Amino acid sequence: MITMKTINASDLAQRDAFFTSLDKRTGETNQRVTETVSEIIRTVKEGGDQAVKNYTLKFDGSLPEYYEVPRDVINDAMTEADPAFVDAMLNAIENVRDFHQRQVQEGFIHALPNGVILGQRVRGLERVGLYVPGGTAAYPSSVIMNAVPAKIAGVKEIIMVTPPCKDGTPNPDILVAAGLCGVDRVFLSGGAQAIAALAYGTEEIPKVDKIVGPGNIFVATAKKLLYGVVDIDMIAGPSEVLVMADETADPKFVAADLMSQAEHDVLASAILVTTSAELAEKVQAEINRQVQYLSRKEIIEKSMNEYGAVLLCNTREEATVLANMVAPEHLEVLMESPMELLGALDNAGSVFLGAYASEPLGDYYAGPNHVLPTSGTARFFSPLGVQSFTKRSSYTYYTKDALHAAKDDIVLIANKEGLTAHANAITVRFEKEEK
Amino acid sequence: MITMKTINASDLAQRDAFFTSLDKRTGETNQRVTETVSEIIRTVKEGGDQAVKNYTLKFDGSLPEYYEVPRDVINDAMTEADPAFVDAMLNAIENVRDFHQRQVQEGFIHALPNGVILGQRVRGLERVGLYVPGGTAAYPSSVIMNAVPAKIAGVKEIIMVTPPCKDGTPNPDILVAAGLCGVDRVFLSGGAQAIAALAYGTEEIPKVDKIVGPGNIFVATAKKLLYGVVDIDMIAGPSEVLVMADETADPKFVAADLMSQAEHDVLASAILVTTSAELAEKVQAEINRQVQYLSRKEIIEKSMNEYGAVLLCNTREEATVLANMVAPEHLEVLMESPMELLGALDNAGSVFLGAYASEPLGDYYAGPNHVLPTSGTARFFSPLGVQSFTKRSSYTYYTKDALHAAKDDIVLIANKEGLTAHANAITVRFEKEEK
């Protein structure tokens, strides 16, 4: 039996107690995990591939079929796959590519009449590492959402690391996704040791500039510890969906969408913000009806009873304020004229508007990225995108006359800051003339 | 006496030993500092302004003249300032604004003929905190480089925190910079306690979404620990300049530019990469001549003797390879036809081309940002810019027909991933019709 707690949004104490419970989902750093991972990182940095393989033996009991998966094995996986799956993936890739191509930011040049040239270059990172979890969390859609924007950004080489299946073979769905998305090399290696190998490079695994992709606490901790040695994507915390709904919403749809988020994780949060108490009741009934035939029923029950909630409010405006306060990863608007609310929704990773923009549509298919800021960080973080795989740099060319015209200002500010060598670098260029 | 070590770039052992010594400048996290700062954060989170003031009393011995600097004190500082300084600052602000306005990235909408709407919004963060160090490291230019791009990004409120001068009064140059750049509020508070106040908010200091600006190890550690509660800019490590020069370069200019970086910090690194052994010798002589009249002579001597180097190579191409390996914060090209090299320079925060684009020109004046990725992180990090102060979010509107057309693909992928509640969220929308 699932009972989402019902909170009257005007009861500030109750409301804030619920928000605080959401914040608490973000676990403290685990000291023991940090120590274990630190040692793995040190060992792999020094020991290279042999160290990686030793850890695989230690943790998994055996070595996988391949260390690097040969190209023809990837090609065979694509040929042998269910054609309907390949088609579905190709359609998803096309949509994701089409959306992300619109994110491309070009560099610029600003050439002044006096000969001064200023500009900015934007380029793809040289090499990116993509972690793909194994087991039940082997998600081909995750390959699409990471590899497609990297390719569009101009990343020259994508190196995937992923643990093998229990029998030591590569997961065929992941290979299909890797093949279709243009991943360059695939290594059957998982855990913190694979992250360390990507960060420092080994004899066989190339050193990368950035590591992306989800993973368990060992993978996440390794990424956190190696941040700065390489760049990383965000550390994903427990995720949320917040559905804003009024009396026009179909309770079946609302119930299904809340559960599609809740099935991810017992820490996931599904929140209904509604102006209609009647709708809320119907949604609760629908949840208990639909959950019966869902395979991840237990996870859904746990997360909805613990972190699910119905927030009752009086107006659309109040609902908007609540959504902005939660700053959810996914925000659905099942209200009349949903587009009219877009401009007021300040904090959300991805916004789904109307009765047919169900969250799973975004997870797989529509085009926007599904790697989104979680746990309220949409206040300041952004979805993964093309710019996550680029670096900018600026450039400056000055003429002698232009520098001469700027000289007094620069020297004055430099001296104010007590940096006389800065001032000297300008004045020395005009030494002869002014002596 | 300054002697930059001379390394023949083809001697790989010697070259790599030098590169390793540069990497080692990045200090280990200091355990004792981390503990102290963690306690300060906890105390300020609970105790608010009183806790901030208690720490100020404890560390500085007295409270400053104001907690929040009144608006008329800021206005008076601008009126009473040396008009030449105000003019120089205004000119710098104009250049920085002009450059950064070109970085603005607009959102987009992609409306399809079938009624589907996809898009991306780009908006400024709501509120940003700017830390400005006090004492000898009180740099008005730092206010410009942080506040101007924030304003262009559309940040609604900039809150500055800065320690007072020794006598408890605000630093007038910093107030002038704050006033000219449109900083909204200024609090006389420094150290980790000021960072914690910005992250959580106190009775008087508003909670912000992102904290930027340089600071000592306590400030940097507080930012690192609070990353996730708020966004932060990069943690700046020891900085570098790398000058590529051939026989056409003026040794006086090269020497002066190397020292302008070296004066920042005993850990700063100044590297000359040159095809001309003759130039290298003249540069060393010039350094020892010019350093005599520079106020930060001791810092320059230390950093150049320890982390300075001349890398001798044979061709422009070799010099380019070396520059890309170091991935310096600042890269100067004092070679013939410098613009021709731009496209080959992959890794640098800011590139200065030609004899008159001296690094201090970029620190204060030309327009590009001076907050740059340090210690080789230009391989994957970017300069501070307008996009550092924005967040993106995506949005999706779908019609019933469009979702119906996508249904089978989505359901297939969801089932492959074992996420049946995801599949259910799509199928439930067409339940009646297909039963």
Side-chain angles (χ1 to χ4, degrees), chain B residues 171-373:
Chain B
N171 179 313
D173 297 340
I174 297 299
L175 291 191
V176 170
L180 296 177
C181 293
V183 167
D184 295 280
R185 299 175 70 182
V186 179
F187 290 87
L188 285 186
S189 174
Q193 61 271 26
I195 300 294
L198 289 171
Y200 292 112
T202 63
E203 302 89 324
E204 293 196 49
I205 299 179
K207 177 184 168 76
V208 302
D209 298 311
K210 180 162 186 161
I211 302 175
V212 297
N216 65 18
I217 188 168
F218 291 93
V219 169
T221 302
K223 283 167 66 181
K224 226 186 247 182
L225 291 172
L226 288 163
Y227 179 56
V229 176
V230 287
D231 190 16
I232 61 169
D233 57 354
M234 55 201 113
I235 302 286
S239 61
E240 314 84 26
V241 67
L242 186 148
V243 179
M244 293 166 66
D246 60 18
E247 71 288 349
T248 67
D250 187 324
K252 279 199 304 187
F253 299 6
V254 175
D257 291 359
L258 291 169
M259 287 191 291
S260 76
Q261 184 59 30
E263 80 169 329
H264 271 299
D265 181 359
V266 293
L267 291 174
S269 173
I271 303 168
L272 170 61
V273 174
T274 182
T275 49
S276 165
E278 197 191 326
L279 176 85
E281 265 179 46
K282 288 186 187 157
V283 168
Q284 299 253 28
E286 268 298 320
I287 288 172
N288 283 291
R289 181 182 73 83
Q290 292 180 31
V291 77
Q292 300 311 324
Y293 52 85
L294 298 178
S295 60
R296 295 165 76 95
K297 187 178 168 212
E298 280 176 34
I299 296 174
I300 295 172
E301 282 182 346
K302 266 201 182 159
S303 59
M304 294 200 93
N305 281 326
E306 187 73 23
Y307 299 111
V310 177
L311 300 177
L312 290 174
C313 58
N314 296 314
T315 63
R316 280 159 76 91
E317 290 68 33
E318 272 183 60
T320 306
V321 170
L322 288 165
N324 285 335
M325 288 180 75
V326 173
E329 185 186 13
H330 310 92
L331 174 57
E332 288 194 4
V333 184
L334 280 81
M335 289 186 146
E336 234 186 326
S337 311
M339 287 296 290
E340 289 176 7
L341 284 170
L342 181 61
L345 297 169
D346 287 329
N347 302 328
S350 199
V351 181
F352 299 84
L353 300 154
Y356 291 93
S358 172
E359 192 223 289
L361 167 70
D363 285 344
Y364 296 120
Y365 207 77
N369 212 286
H370 79 194
V371 183
L372 300 167

